[in-house]
Amino acid sequence: MIYLDFEGFINEPPSLVGYKIDGKFTQLILDDDLSLISEETDINFMNFEEFCHEIIARSNKTKQPIVAWSANELSVFKEFQGNINYCNLLQVAKKQIKKNKLLVKAHKEMPEYWVGQRIMRTGRVNNNNNAFLKKRWNLVTILKLLDYPSLSTGYGKGKVTARLSAIKKGLNARGSYKRLTAVQKAKWTKLKQHNFVDVDGMEYIAKNLDISLK
């Protein structure tokens, strides 16, 4: 399987991609605005369209599905090829978890399970329920449920765009990655770590739930 996760802004081409094939994890910068980082550090740059064509061709050749935690990546790849060998791991993992009574019970004991839901843990109706706030099936929630060992305080859903914005502004102002402030460099490190957890975490989920896809 090709575990893959994009990081970027909504309605814009991704800025960063991380993917894992046969146990090897790779990250690439896909955004021209971040190319200075590639010139001054050990991460490579690749044109976004070139990367998409290359990873789709590899999936086709090896017959390994591209695996992501939603349909978002699928919508990206469909711009380049109509029929993609793709797995929405969220859908598969959800089915596996619901078959396991112990996991179902543990899931319902998590605070994240009840966030944004129509019915609260007490059984009362939540008049402030909001579908956009739901965390029940977020990747980080399932990683916590399955005791993924590599979560840290640096990981945070909703922090990606803020970190990207800060890094881009810094590069634009200073003209060099090396001249970024320690805080800006830390944001880049945390962004890469977040992306690693997204990708490595999906492989962890697949193994722990005994999911095998051909």
Side-chain angles (χ1 to χ4, degrees):
M1 291 189 271
I2 301 173
Y3 298 97
L4 181 146
D5 183 68
F6 287 126
E7 309 293 353
F9 298 97
I10 297 174
N11 299 324
E12 291 185 22
S15 297
L16 174 73
V17 65
Y19 61 96
K20 197 170 188 180
I21 304 175
D22 298 329
K24 181 182 178 181
F25 177 72
T26 303
Q27 283 179 321
L28 295 170
I29 290 174
L30 305 175
D31 188 339
D32 287 329
D33 291 342
L34 301 177
S35 60
L36 284 172
I37 299 177
S38 176
E39 295 172 9
E40 298 180 42
T41 68
D42 59 355
I43 187 171
N44 291 325
F45 170 85
M46 181 179 282
N47 174 271
F48 165 62
E49 293 188 5
E50 181 183 349
F51 169 76
C52 289
H53 285 300
E54 183 173 299
I55 206 73
I56 290 170
R58 182 158 186 173
S59 173
N60 292 338
K61 182 177 180 179
T62 62
K63 301 188 184 305
Q64 295 186 77
I66 297 172
V67 181
W69 192 253
S70 71
N72 292 336
E73 279 72 12
L74 177 59
S75 64
V76 171
F77 289 122
K78 278 195 169 181
E79 295 182 11
F80 300 92
Q81 179 177 297
N83 186 24
I84 303 292
N85 186 4
Y86 188 88
C87 169
N88 181 340
L89 187 61
L90 166 59
Q91 293 180 343
V92 182
K94 187 184 292 188
K95 291 178 181 178
Q96 290 294 94
I97 290 170
K98 287 182 176 180
K99 293 178 183 177
N100 187 313
K101 292 182 180 180
L102 291 177
L103 285 179
V104 169
K105 180 181 179 183
H107 195 196
K108 289 182 178 180
E109 291 174 353
M110 299 177 70
E112 293 89 346
Y113 185 91
W114 304 99
V115 175
Q117 299 294 335
R118 188 176 64 85
I119 303 298
M120 295 187 291
R121 189 168 188 169
T122 59
R124 294 182 179 180
V125 174
N126 179 11
N127 294 322
N128 296 317
N129 65 299
N130 187 330
F132 294 103
L133 297 178
K134 290 182 179 180
K135 297 182 179 182
R136 183 177 294 186
W137 295 106
N138 283 355
L139 176 59
V140 65
T141 301
I142 304 308
L143 290 177
K144 289 179 181 178
L145 173 66
L146 299 177
D147 296 319
Y148 176 71
S150 299
L151 283 177
S152 70
T153 55
Y155 185 91
K157 183 178 173 62
K159 296 180 181 179
V160 169
T161 54
R163 287 170 177 166
L164 274 173
S165 294
I167 296 160
K168 284 191 174 189
K169 287 179 181 177
L171 290 172
N172 186 53
R174 299 172 182 272
S176 168
Y177 174 78
K178 292 180 180 179
R179 293 178 181 173
L180 294 182
T181 66
V183 172
Q184 289 167 334
K185 288 180 179 178
K187 288 182 184 295
W188 176 243
T189 299
K190 289 177 181 178
L191 177 63
K192 290 194 298 177
Q193 179 61 22
H194 178 107
N195 178 254
F196 169 78
V197 169
D198 282 348
V199 176
D200 186 66
M202 285 190 288
E203 183 180 48
Y204 178 88
I205 288 170
K207 289 181 177 178
N208 277 265
L209 295 180
D210 197 23
I211 295 171
S212 178
L213 301 168
K214 302 296 183 180

Short mmCIF file of all heavy atoms in Angstrom, two decimals, residues 6-43:
data_model
loop_
_atom_site.label_atom_id
_atom_site.label_comp_id
_atom_site.label_asym_id
_atom_site.label_seq_id
_atom_site.Cartn_x
_atom_site.Cartn_y
_atom_site.Cartn_z
N PHE A 6 -1.38 14.73 2.08
CA PHE A 6 -1.02 16.07 1.64
C PHE A 6 -1.23 17.07 2.78
O PHE A 6 -2.14 16.91 3.59
CB PHE A 6 -1.90 16.52 0.46
CG PHE A 6 -1.60 15.86 -0.85
CD1 PHE A 6 -2.61 15.21 -1.56
CD2 PHE A 6 -0.33 15.90 -1.40
CE1 PHE A 6 -2.35 14.62 -2.78
CE2 PHE A 6 -0.05 15.30 -2.63
CZ PHE A 6 -1.07 14.67 -3.32
N GLU A 7 -0.42 18.11 2.79
CA GLU A 7 -0.63 19.25 3.69
C GLU A 7 -0.70 20.51 2.84
O GLU A 7 0.11 20.68 1.91
CB GLU A 7 0.53 19.39 4.69
CG GLU A 7 0.90 18.13 5.45
CD GLU A 7 -0.16 17.65 6.42
OE1 GLU A 7 -1.17 18.37 6.62
OE2 GLU A 7 0.01 16.55 6.98
N GLY A 8 -1.65 21.38 3.13
CA GLY A 8 -1.75 22.61 2.36
C GLY A 8 -2.98 23.41 2.72
O GLY A 8 -3.66 23.14 3.71
N PHE A 9 -3.26 24.40 1.88
CA PHE A 9 -4.40 25.28 2.08
C PHE A 9 -5.62 24.76 1.33
O PHE A 9 -5.49 24.13 0.27
CB PHE A 9 -4.06 26.69 1.60
CG PHE A 9 -2.92 27.33 2.33
CD1 PHE A 9 -1.63 27.30 1.80
CD2 PHE A 9 -3.12 27.96 3.54
CE1 PHE A 9 -0.56 27.89 2.47
CE2 PHE A 9 -2.06 28.55 4.23
CZ PHE A 9 -0.78 28.51 3.69
N ILE A 10 -6.80 25.04 1.86
CA ILE A 10 -8.05 24.64 1.21
C ILE A 10 -8.15 25.30 -0.16
O ILE A 10 -7.86 26.49 -0.32
CB ILE A 10 -9.26 25.01 2.08
CG1 ILE A 10 -9.21 24.25 3.41
CG2 ILE A 10 -10.57 24.70 1.37
CD1 ILE A 10 -10.28 24.67 4.39
N ASN A 11 -8.58 24.52 -1.14
CA ASN A 11 -8.80 25.00 -2.51
C ASN A 11 -7.53 25.47 -3.21
O ASN A 11 -7.59 26.26 -4.15
CB ASN A 11 -9.85 26.11 -2.54
CG ASN A 11 -11.21 25.65 -2.03
OD1 ASN A 11 -11.61 24.51 -2.28
ND2 ASN A 11 -11.92 26.52 -1.33
N GLU A 12 -6.38 25.01 -2.72
CA GLU A 12 -5.10 25.30 -3.37
C GLU A 12 -4.32 23.99 -3.51
O GLU A 12 -4.53 23.06 -2.73
CB GLU A 12 -4.28 26.30 -2.56
CG GLU A 12 -4.85 27.70 -2.53
CD GLU A 12 -3.93 28.68 -1.82
OE1 GLU A 12 -2.71 28.39 -1.72
OE2 GLU A 12 -4.41 29.72 -1.37
N PRO A 13 -3.41 23.90 -4.48
CA PRO A 13 -2.58 22.69 -4.59
C PRO A 13 -1.79 22.47 -3.31
O PRO A 13 -1.41 23.44 -2.64
CB PRO A 13 -1.65 23.02 -5.77
CG PRO A 13 -2.39 24.03 -6.57
CD PRO A 13 -3.15 24.86 -5.57
N PRO A 14 -1.55 21.23 -2.93
CA PRO A 14 -0.82 20.93 -1.69
C PRO A 14 0.58 21.54 -1.66
O PRO A 14 1.22 21.72 -2.70
CB PRO A 14 -0.75 19.40 -1.69
CG PRO A 14 -1.87 18.97 -2.57
CD PRO A 14 -1.99 20.01 -3.63
N SER A 15 1.04 21.85 -0.47
CA SER A 15 2.37 22.42 -0.28
C SER A 15 3.41 21.36 0.07
O SER A 15 4.60 21.51 -0.21
CB SER A 15 2.34 23.47 0.83
OG SER A 15 1.50 24.55 0.49
N LEU A 16 2.96 20.29 0.73
CA LEU A 16 3.86 19.25 1.22
C LEU A 16 3.16 17.90 1.10
O LEU A 16 1.95 17.81 1.29
CB LEU A 16 4.21 19.52 2.68
CG LEU A 16 5.04 18.48 3.44
CD1 LEU A 16 6.49 18.52 2.97
CD2 LEU A 16 4.98 18.74 4.96
N VAL A 17 3.92 16.88 0.78
CA VAL A 17 3.36 15.53 0.77
C VAL A 17 4.30 14.60 1.53
O VAL A 17 5.53 14.75 1.49
CB VAL A 17 3.16 15.00 -0.67
CG1 VAL A 17 4.49 14.84 -1.42
CG2 VAL A 17 2.39 13.69 -0.66
N GLY A 18 3.71 13.67 2.24
CA GLY A 18 4.46 12.60 2.86
C GLY A 18 3.87 11.29 2.40
O GLY A 18 2.65 11.18 2.28
N TYR A 19 4.69 10.31 2.11
CA TYR A 19 4.17 9.01 1.70
C TYR A 19 5.11 7.89 2.15
O TYR A 19 6.31 8.11 2.35
CB TYR A 19 3.93 8.95 0.19
CG TYR A 19 5.15 9.15 -0.68
CD1 TYR A 19 5.87 8.06 -1.16
CD2 TYR A 19 5.58 10.42 -1.02
CE1 TYR A 19 6.98 8.24 -1.97
CE2 TYR A 19 6.69 10.61 -1.82
CZ TYR A 19 7.39 9.51 -2.30
OH TYR A 19 8.50 9.70 -3.08
N LYS A 20 4.53 6.72 2.31
CA LYS A 20 5.30 5.58 2.79
C LYS A 20 5.02 4.38 1.91
O LYS A 20 3.86 3.98 1.73
CB LYS A 20 4.92 5.26 4.24
CG LYS A 20 5.91 4.37 4.98
CD LYS A 20 5.57 4.33 6.48
CE LYS A 20 6.64 3.61 7.27
NZ LYS A 20 6.33 3.57 8.72
N ILE A 21 6.06 3.83 1.35
CA ILE A 21 5.95 2.66 0.46
C ILE A 21 6.94 1.61 0.94
O ILE A 21 8.13 1.89 1.07
CB ILE A 21 6.26 3.03 -1.01
CG1 ILE A 21 5.35 4.16 -1.48
CG2 ILE A 21 6.09 1.80 -1.90
CD1 ILE A 21 5.67 4.65 -2.89
N ASP A 22 6.44 0.42 1.20
CA ASP A 22 7.29 -0.69 1.64
C ASP A 22 8.17 -0.29 2.84
O ASP A 22 9.37 -0.62 2.89
CB ASP A 22 8.17 -1.19 0.48
CG ASP A 22 7.35 -1.73 -0.67
OD1 ASP A 22 6.25 -2.25 -0.42
OD2 ASP A 22 7.80 -1.60 -1.83
N GLY A 23 7.57 0.44 3.77
CA GLY A 23 8.28 0.81 4.98
C GLY A 23 9.16 2.03 4.89
O GLY A 23 9.70 2.49 5.90
N LYS A 24 9.32 2.62 3.70
CA LYS A 24 10.18 3.79 3.52
C LYS A 24 9.33 5.05 3.47
O LYS A 24 8.45 5.19 2.61
CB LYS A 24 11.01 3.67 2.24
CG LYS A 24 11.94 4.86 2.03
CD LYS A 24 12.72 4.75 0.73
CE LYS A 24 13.61 5.97 0.52
NZ LYS A 24 14.36 5.90 -0.77
N PHE A 25 9.62 5.99 4.36
CA PHE A 25 8.88 7.25 4.42
C PHE A 25 9.64 8.34 3.68
O PHE A 25 10.85 8.49 3.84
CB PHE A 25 8.68 7.67 5.88
CG PHE A 25 7.98 9.00 6.03
CD1 PHE A 25 6.63 9.12 5.73
CD2 PHE A 25 8.68 10.12 6.45
CE1 PHE A 25 5.98 10.34 5.87
CE2 PHE A 25 8.05 11.34 6.60
CZ PHE A 25 6.69 11.45 6.30
N THR A 26 8.90 9.10 2.87
CA THR A 26 9.49 10.18 2.08
C THR A 26 8.62 11.43 2.19
O THR A 26 7.40 11.33 2.19
CB THR A 26 9.60 9.79 0.59
OG1 THR A 26 10.37 8.59 0.46
CG2 THR A 26 10.26 10.89 -0.22
N GLN A 27 9.26 12.59 2.28
CA GLN A 27 8.54 13.85 2.24
C GLN A 27 9.10 14.71 1.10
O GLN A 27 10.31 14.71 0.84
CB GLN A 27 8.68 14.62 3.56
CG GLN A 27 7.80 14.08 4.67
CD GLN A 27 7.96 14.84 5.97
OE1 GLN A 27 9.06 15.22 6.33
NE2 GLN A 27 6.86 15.04 6.69
N LEU A 28 8.20 15.43 0.44
CA LEU A 28 8.58 16.31 -0.66
C LEU A 28 7.86 17.64 -0.53
O LEU A 28 6.68 17.69 -0.17
CB LEU A 28 8.21 15.69 -2.02
CG LEU A 28 8.91 14.40 -2.44
CD1 LEU A 28 8.24 13.84 -3.69
CD2 LEU A 28 10.39 14.67 -2.71
N ILE A 29 8.55 18.71 -0.86
CA ILE A 29 7.91 20.02 -0.99
C ILE A 29 7.32 20.11 -2.39
O ILE A 29 7.98 19.76 -3.38
CB ILE A 29 8.94 21.14 -0.77
CG1 ILE A 29 9.37 21.18 0.70
CG2 ILE A 29 8.37 22.50 -1.19
CD1 ILE A 29 10.50 22.16 0.98
N LEU A 30 6.08 20.56 -2.49
CA LEU A 30 5.40 20.67 -3.77
C LEU A 30 5.09 22.11 -4.15
O LEU A 30 4.56 22.37 -5.24
CB LEU A 30 4.08 19.87 -3.72
CG LEU A 30 4.18 18.40 -3.32
CD1 LEU A 30 2.78 17.80 -3.20
CD2 LEU A 30 5.01 17.61 -4.33
N ASP A 31 5.38 23.02 -3.26
CA ASP A 31 5.01 24.43 -3.40
C ASP A 31 6.24 25.27 -3.73
O ASP A 31 7.22 25.27 -2.98
CB ASP A 31 4.38 24.89 -2.08
CG ASP A 31 3.77 26.27 -2.15
OD1 ASP A 31 4.15 27.05 -3.05
OD2 ASP A 31 2.92 26.59 -1.30
N ASP A 32 6.17 26.01 -4.85
CA ASP A 32 7.30 26.86 -5.25
C ASP A 32 7.69 27.85 -4.15
O ASP A 32 8.86 28.20 -4.00
CB ASP A 32 6.96 27.64 -6.53
CG ASP A 32 6.95 26.74 -7.76
OD1 ASP A 32 7.70 25.76 -7.78
OD2 ASP A 32 6.18 27.03 -8.70
N ASP A 33 6.69 28.33 -3.40
CA ASP A 33 6.97 29.31 -2.36
C ASP A 33 7.82 28.75 -1.23
O ASP A 33 8.38 29.52 -0.43
CB ASP A 33 5.65 29.84 -1.77
CG ASP A 33 4.87 30.69 -2.74
OD1 ASP A 33 5.47 31.15 -3.74
OD2 ASP A 33 3.66 30.90 -2.53
N LEU A 34 7.92 27.42 -1.15
CA LEU A 34 8.72 26.78 -0.10
C LEU A 34 10.02 26.18 -0.65
O LEU A 34 10.75 25.52 0.08
CB LEU A 34 7.91 25.68 0.59
CG LEU A 34 6.60 26.09 1.25
CD1 LEU A 34 5.89 24.86 1.82
CD2 LEU A 34 6.84 27.12 2.35
N SER A 35 10.28 26.42 -1.93
CA SER A 35 11.43 25.77 -2.57
C SER A 35 12.76 26.17 -1.93
O SER A 35 13.74 25.42 -1.99
CB SER A 35 11.45 26.08 -4.07
OG SER A 35 11.53 27.48 -4.29
N LEU A 36 12.82 27.35 -1.33
CA LEU A 36 14.05 27.77 -0.65
C LEU A 36 14.45 26.78 0.45
O LEU A 36 15.63 26.57 0.71
CB LEU A 36 13.88 29.17 -0.04
CG LEU A 36 13.93 30.36 -1.01
CD1 LEU A 36 13.54 31.63 -0.26
CD2 LEU A 36 15.31 30.49 -1.62
N ILE A 37 13.45 26.19 1.09
CA ILE A 37 13.74 25.22 2.15
C ILE A 37 14.46 24.01 1.57
O ILE A 37 15.40 23.47 2.16
CB ILE A 37 12.45 24.78 2.86
CG1 ILE A 37 11.76 25.99 3.50
CG2 ILE A 37 12.74 23.72 3.92
CD1 ILE A 37 10.44 25.66 4.16
N SER A 38 14.03 23.60 0.39
CA SER A 38 14.66 22.46 -0.28
C SER A 38 16.12 22.77 -0.62
O SER A 38 16.99 21.89 -0.54
CB SER A 38 13.88 22.10 -1.55
OG SER A 38 14.52 21.06 -2.25
N GLU A 39 16.39 24.01 -1.01
CA GLU A 39 17.75 24.39 -1.40
C GLU A 39 18.70 24.43 -0.21
O GLU A 39 19.91 24.29 -0.38
CB GLU A 39 17.71 25.76 -2.08
CG GLU A 39 16.94 25.77 -3.40
CD GLU A 39 16.75 27.18 -3.95
OE1 GLU A 39 17.37 28.12 -3.39
OE2 GLU A 39 15.99 27.34 -4.91
N GLU A 40 18.14 24.60 1.00
CA GLU A 40 19.00 24.80 2.17
C GLU A 40 18.92 23.67 3.20
O GLU A 40 19.64 23.69 4.19
CB GLU A 40 18.63 26.12 2.85
CG GLU A 40 18.86 27.33 1.96
CD GLU A 40 18.48 28.62 2.65
OE1 GLU A 40 18.80 28.79 3.84
OE2 GLU A 40 17.85 29.48 2.00
N THR A 41 18.04 22.68 2.96
CA THR A 41 17.92 21.55 3.89
C THR A 41 17.91 20.25 3.09
O THR A 41 18.14 20.24 1.88
CB THR A 41 16.65 21.66 4.75
OG1 THR A 41 15.51 21.49 3.92
CG2 THR A 41 16.57 23.01 5.44
N ASP A 42 17.60 19.16 3.78
CA ASP A 42 17.69 17.85 3.13
C ASP A 42 16.37 17.35 2.54
O ASP A 42 16.28 16.19 2.13
CB ASP A 42 18.22 16.80 4.13
CG ASP A 42 17.32 16.67 5.36
OD1 ASP A 42 16.36 17.46 5.47
OD2 ASP A 42 17.60 15.81 6.19
N ILE A 43 15.35 18.19 2.46
CA ILE A 43 14.09 17.78 1.86
C ILE A 43 14.05 18.20 0.39
O ILE A 43 14.48 19.30 0.04
CB ILE A 43 12.88 18.37 2.63
CG1 ILE A 43 11.57 17.79 2.10
CG2 ILE A 43 12.87 19.89 2.57
CD1 ILE A 43 10.35 18.15 2.95
#
